[in-house]
Amino acid sequence: MLQELFGGWRPSAVVGVDISSSTVKVLELSRNDGRYRVESFAVAALPQNAVVEKNITDTEVVAETLRLAYTRSRSKQKNAAVAVSGAAVITKVIEMSADLKEEVMETQITMEADQYIPYPLDEVALDFEVLGPSERNEEMVEVLLAASRQDNIDSRVEALELADLEAKVVDIEAFAMERTFTLIAQQFELNENSVVAIVDIGATVTTLSVIVNEETIYTREQLFGGRQLTEEIQRRYGISYEEAGQAKKEGGISDDYEEEVLDPYKDAVVQQISRALQFFFSASQYNMVDLIVLAGGVASTTGLADRVSDEIGTTTVVANPFANMEVAPGVDVLALNSDAPAMMIACGLALRSFD
């Protein structure tokens, strides 16, 4: 049983480690009088194909990159929280008798798990969390069951160990995002009925998470990301992948870049977001969202939020979970603000220190 997957551990300080398809991000937070402070952070780029669609394919390379990011961060915290992607996890809410002790509940779930999990149980890590009383039956409680293939977890734990870190928590990316959203929500006038769409545009995968009353009610991943823009820059201007990635960040590679490359890519982002929202509307009771939050490395592209807002007709903002945080003296504030939209998952993992 993965007793660390949700909250079955005693809170202690951890550094959040987000392993994506293109980078490793490290973040450490502290809290004083209810206010958070960024103590350390760093981002290190991964070589191509070390992680493919959020699956680690080269553990040693990921560990080496993580060690580099950790060293850059200058953190002294060796305990870490890491996450598996939503696509690698099966979650289901079940009802169980409210008078069951946790040990009995665990035994019963283990015995009955094959009803809910389409994998051999010896290949799966399971965890559960009691959500609260059932609305349908006061003698029952709702229990969130989560399962992930053990190799998804083992590869992340191994990468951390090779980088001389210890995995104290294995979380789920959607839950980390939800945790960070509480910081975003404080920046806007939202009520408990506000429907917020977080669009996390990664290197190869874009994830839509819809949150209502601080609870994720819908997630969907689709193959699209910042790598398309990098590869188009590489192709059009005949430069290396690494040079194209740098040019994407800095801009100004050519006079025709914005019109010929960046604008069509922005149009593609709008199309992907619109498509993802249509899937959500068709699968739910909702037909609109009140706010779109752009996250991921592409989110801070100049003019992208305005383009999305204009085309879709919904207020769109760029995520910055650190907007109301203090920053330790040794942290590069400019770099932190630049990377902030891509730090949502790392932030949610670092917040596990205070659960």
Side-chain angles (χ1 to χ4, degrees):
M1 296 287 283
L2 255 188
Q3 290 303 327
E4 299 86 3
L5 197 58
F6 297 126
W9 74 306
R10 294 182 178 178
S12 60
V14 291
V15 60
V17 175
D18 176 21
I19 301 170
S20 71
S21 294
S22 60
T23 60
V24 174
K25 308 171 193 74
V26 173
L27 176 69
E28 182 183 358
L29 301 176
S30 65
R31 185 170 64 180
N32 185 32
D33 292 331
R35 189 172 185 191
Y36 295 108
R37 181 168 109 151
V38 178
E39 294 294 341
S40 62
F41 106 102
V43 179
L46 280 165
Q48 272 187 285
N49 301 321
V51 178
V52 177
E53 293 173 22
K54 301 191 177 181
N55 294 313
I56 294 176
T57 56
D58 193 330
T59 307
E60 290 188 2
V61 167
V62 171
E64 186 179 325
T65 307
L66 171 54
R67 191 181 292 111
L68 174 63
Y70 180 79
T71 301
R72 285 179 184 168
S73 76
R74 299 197 293 274
S75 173
K76 304 299 182 194
Q77 179 54 252
K78 289 290 188 178
N79 293 332
V82 70
V84 291
S85 76
V89 180
I90 295 169
T91 58
K92 187 174 182 64
V93 176
I94 61 176
E95 290 190 346
M96 303 188 75
S97 175
D99 58 10
L100 289 179
K101 292 184 177 179
E102 186 169 321
E103 303 79 35
V104 178
M105 195 175 283
E106 179 176 329
T107 301
Q108 190 171 323
I109 286 173
T110 305
M111 291 173 61
E112 299 176 1
D114 58 356
Q115 297 177 42
Y116 315 111
I117 311 302
Y119 306 124
L121 292 185
D122 58 355
E123 299 177 6
V124 169
L126 287 170
D127 197 10
F128 69 94
E129 180 178 32
V130 178
L131 300 177
S134 167
E135 294 182 0
R136 299 188 303 175
N137 186 341
E138 61 183 18
E139 295 180 359
M140 307 289 280
V141 289
E142 290 187 340
V143 179
L144 177 61
L145 174 67
S148 178
R149 295 289 288 266
Q150 189 68 50
D151 53 5
N152 291 322
I153 293 162
D154 290 346
S155 61
R156 281 161 170 75
V157 171
E158 183 183 356
L160 263 65
E161 289 174 348
L162 288 172
D164 298 320
L165 298 174
E166 183 176 354
K168 284 292 185 182
V169 180
V170 179
D171 208 330
I172 297 170
E173 287 185 357
F175 295 167
M177 187 72 75
E178 184 180 290
R179 207 173 293 116
T180 303
F181 173 72
T182 60
L183 304 177
I184 302 291
Q186 295 168 10
Q187 302 168 28
F188 304 98
E189 294 182 3
L190 301 174
N191 58 52
E192 63 181 24
N193 296 316
S194 295
V195 183
V196 181
I198 300 178
V199 182
D200 185 12
I201 307 169
T204 59
V205 176
T206 294
T207 305
L208 169 66
S209 302
V210 181
I211 296 180
V212 178
N213 196 19
E214 298 187 355
E215 181 180 340
T216 303
I217 63 167
Y218 177 89
T219 60
R220 179 183 173 87
E221 294 183 354
Q222 53 199 55
L223 290 178
F224 176 83
R227 185 166 291 176
Q228 274 97 325
L229 177 56
T230 309
E231 290 174 348
E232 178 59 19
I233 294 170
Q234 181 185 9
R235 185 192 67 78
R236 178 172 286 267
Y237 301 109
I239 57 180
S240 71
Y241 184 83
E242 289 71 23
E243 289 171 330
Q246 196 65 31
K248 182 173 71 173
K249 278 189 172 183
E250 296 173 358
I253 184 172
S254 171
D255 291 343
D256 69 351
Y257 169 65
E258 192 152 325
E259 183 179 349
E260 296 295 326
V261 179
L262 190 57
D263 280 346
Y265 180 76
K266 289 179 185 177
D267 290 339
V269 171
V270 171
Q271 187 177 26
Q272 290 291 329
I273 293 174
S274 179
R275 181 167 171 256
L277 288 173
Q278 289 305 318
F279 276 117
F280 164 62
F281 297 146
S282 66
S284 73
Q285 69 190 55
Y286 300 96
N287 57 17
M288 62 168 290
V289 295
D290 299 298
L291 178 70
I292 296 173
V293 179
L294 296 183
V298 171
S300 53
T301 301
T302 303
L304 180 59
D306 290 339
R307 178 80 64 93
V308 173
S309 181
D310 291 344
E311 294 292 330
I312 295 180
T314 301
T315 301
T316 303
V317 298
V318 178
N320 182 0
F322 311 119
N324 296 326
M325 290 191 191
E326 297 178 349
V327 180
V331 173
D332 184 336
V333 177
L334 287 177
L336 180 69
N337 287 334
S338 175
D339 289 319
M343 299 292 290
M344 293 283 283
I345 291 171
C347 184
L349 293 170
L351 288 170
R352 288 298 300 259
S353 297
F354 317 107
D355 280 357

